[in-house]
Amino acid sequence: MKTIDELLTEGVAGRRVFVRADLNVPLDGTTITDDGRIRAVLPTVAKLAEAGARVVVASHLGRPKGAPDPAFSLAPAAARLGELLGADVAFATDTVGDSARATVAGLTDGQVAVLENLRFNAGETSKDDAERGAFADRLAELADVYVGDGFGAVHRKHASVYDLPARLPHYAGYLIATEVGVLKKLTTDVKRPYAVVLGGAKVSDKLGVIDHLLEKADRILIGGGMVFTFLAAQGHEVGASLLQEDQIPVVKEYIERAKERGVEFVLPVDVLVAGEFPDMKAKAPAHPATVAADAIPAGQMGLDIGPESRKLYASKLADTATVFWNGPMGVFEHPDYAEGTRAVAQALIDSPAFTVVGGGDSAAAVRILGFDENAFGHISTGGGASLEYLEGKTLPGLAALEG
């Protein structure tokens, strides 16, 4: 895989460089609530602009249905990128139309433009190779060189991620090079003990990575809504908690495999429960009760790991050399159910291990709960991409850059 440093050595002054970034930031109306992904691509964009490239930044945002939708406009992200660069950033109001062509044609050396949301064109996400390829052809007309730096999208076989690199000289940006380097530390030559912390709502979302990590990890800590399928698989009552009954047989099999391989599964010993899901807007006090994890009352739902579980999880992370964390321990957006996730984040900081926060809600939790991002070994920008890499899957966007 060629990197941006090789491109810079060749020279980029006056060349149109298409940067496939991941500017898929959370928005409250037009207000960005977390600009982490924009800041992550900043080193690549800034370096190219400094070297005199005419930088064309493109990304998706949200899931519009192949047509323009103002709710998913990249205009706020373009404005924030300009603030971070300390320079004006031009904005094209379409992806490959008159505005895009005119905006790119108007760039001078060292200037940056952002195209409107790539997913406003159905060709970006089409499963039809010809339709996707036709869109990639039109994108290719806007550039001389391709730089892939949208790690959060490399697991998608989309036109700007997979097809476009085949049409232009292509290089990996700083973010992708860093992300791949980190993930290799989690899959090859891993320093042990190696612990994996998995949370989030559905166990079905994590089955693939659990299956693969049973061959690699020494310890797997489970939290979040997915934990109740594990508890049910052990024969415990889980009340009204989130439960995927159809996944219980698979979970039972994984628990048995873990025993056979000497991999320690760590489940909570207590949980916080309430009779209903908390009001996320009002953030009104929820007054949860703490109960043993194997004695959740009927009608009560588990919403976070309890105080004894926090201590247990911290102790299981204290002696590790490598930790990967993906998924919160509870409904961390509500203050009454944030302490489990906070405890895991603090345990990672306190651990001597090389710690990786696997993007998505885990990365959001780190920021929302006020932790210093620099206290972790690495915070990934791509939760789904990280998980698929750890599952051993081939990621289309990485394969395209290696081709």
Side-chain angles (χ1 to χ4, degrees):
M1 186 186 296
K2 290 184 178 179
T3 68
I4 186 176
D5 285 331
E6 294 172 78
L7 172 60
L8 291 166
T9 299
E10 295 169 13
V12 294
R15 301 171 78 185
R16 300 170 302 165
V17 180
F18 187 103
V19 178
R20 200 335 179 159
D22 180 9
L23 308 180
N24 186 27
V25 292
L27 293 172
D28 182 2
T30 58
T31 301
I32 296 170
T33 56
D34 182 354
D35 68 357
R37 284 177 168 163
I38 301 174
R39 287 185 286 110
V41 79
L42 199 62
T44 290
V45 174
K47 194 71 173 181
L48 288 167
E50 183 184 305
R54 302 178 183 192
V55 187
V56 182
V57 180
S59 175
H60 70 287
L61 190 152
R63 299 192 178 196
K65 298 180 179 178
D69 183 339
F72 298 106
S73 175
L74 275 172
R80 180 59 180 150
L81 179 61
E83 291 173 2
L84 292 168
L85 286 170
D88 290 337
V89 167
F91 182 67
T93 57
D94 57 28
T95 55
V96 291
D98 292 342
S99 179
R101 289 193 298 270
T103 300
V104 173
L107 290 175
T108 58
D109 294 2
Q111 284 194 317
V112 179
V114 174
L115 304 180
E116 185 52 285
N117 194 335
L118 290 164
R119 291 186 183 175
F120 285 1
N121 189 304
E124 169 67 1
T125 59
S126 176
K127 288 182 169 56
D128 181 81
D129 291 348
E131 183 180 11
R132 219 176 46 246
F135 182 50
D137 287 338
R138 297 183 70 188
L139 289 172
E141 293 172 3
L142 300 173
D144 305 305
V145 181
Y146 177 93
V147 172
D149 215 30
F151 181 73
V154 294
H155 58 313
R156 306 295 186 193
K157 193 177 182 180
H158 291 170
S160 65
V161 175
Y162 179 75
D163 302 274
L164 184 55
R167 289 157 169 78
L168 295 169
H170 45 270
Y171 304 81
Y174 291 125
L175 175 60
I176 279 187
T178 297
E179 294 272 15
V180 171
V182 166
L183 287 169
K184 284 182 177 177
K185 291 183 180 180
L186 300 177
T187 52
T188 58
D189 299 322
V190 180
K191 292 184 178 178
R192 299 185 179 280
Y194 176 20
V196 176
V197 186
L198 296 174
K202 295 181 178 180
V203 70
S204 56
D205 293 341
K206 302 291 191 335
L207 288 178
V209 74
I210 294 172
D211 181 44
H212 204 68
L213 288 172
L214 281 172
E215 309 297 320
K216 296 183 179 296
D218 300 302
R219 197 174 291 159
I220 301 176
L221 288 66
I222 304 291
M226 62 185 284
V227 80
F228 300 106
T229 303
F230 276 85
L231 292 171
Q234 293 183 327
H236 303 312
E237 171 62 47
V238 297
S241 305
L242 183 64
L243 173 64
Q244 290 185 283
E245 286 192 63
D246 60 323
Q247 302 298 333
I248 288 177
V250 182
V251 169
K252 282 183 176 178
E253 178 196 331
Y254 285 177
I255 291 172
E256 286 305 310
R257 275 178 57 199
K259 287 179 183 176
E260 292 169 6
R261 297 193 61 83
V263 177
E264 183 182 8
F265 260 122
V266 183
L267 301 177
V269 293
D270 59 351
V271 294
L272 299 186
V273 300
E276 59 184 6
F277 199 81
D279 183 336
M280 299 306 294
K281 288 187 177 179
K283 296 287 196 298
H287 306 299
T290 301
V291 300
D294 60 359
I296 299 173
Q300 297 287 297
M301 63 177 68
L303 295 163
D304 193 14
I305 61 173
E308 292 305 314
S309 301
R310 294 172 217 152
K311 295 176 188 174
L312 172 65
Y313 284 27
S315 72
K316 295 293 184 180
L317 296 172
D319 65 345
T320 53
T322 305
V323 181
F324 173 74
W325 170 34
N326 181 283
M329 298 294 99
V331 188
F332 73 92
E333 300 91 341
H334 191 287
D336 285 352
Y337 302 109
E339 293 310 305
T341 302
R342 187 189 303 279
V344 166
Q346 188 61 55
L348 263 65
I349 291 173
D350 294 340
S351 169
F354 173 64
T355 56
V356 178
V357 180
D361 285 342
S362 308
V366 164
R367 298 182 184 110
I368 290 170
L369 297 177
F371 288 97
D372 179 1
E373 294 178 47
N374 295 320
F376 301 88
H378 179 71
I379 297 181
S380 178
T381 57
S386 295
L387 287 176
E388 290 199 15
Y389 189 101
L390 292 179
E391 285 179 44
K393 292 183 177 179
T394 296
L395 307 189
L398 296 185
L401 290 175
E402 290 165 352

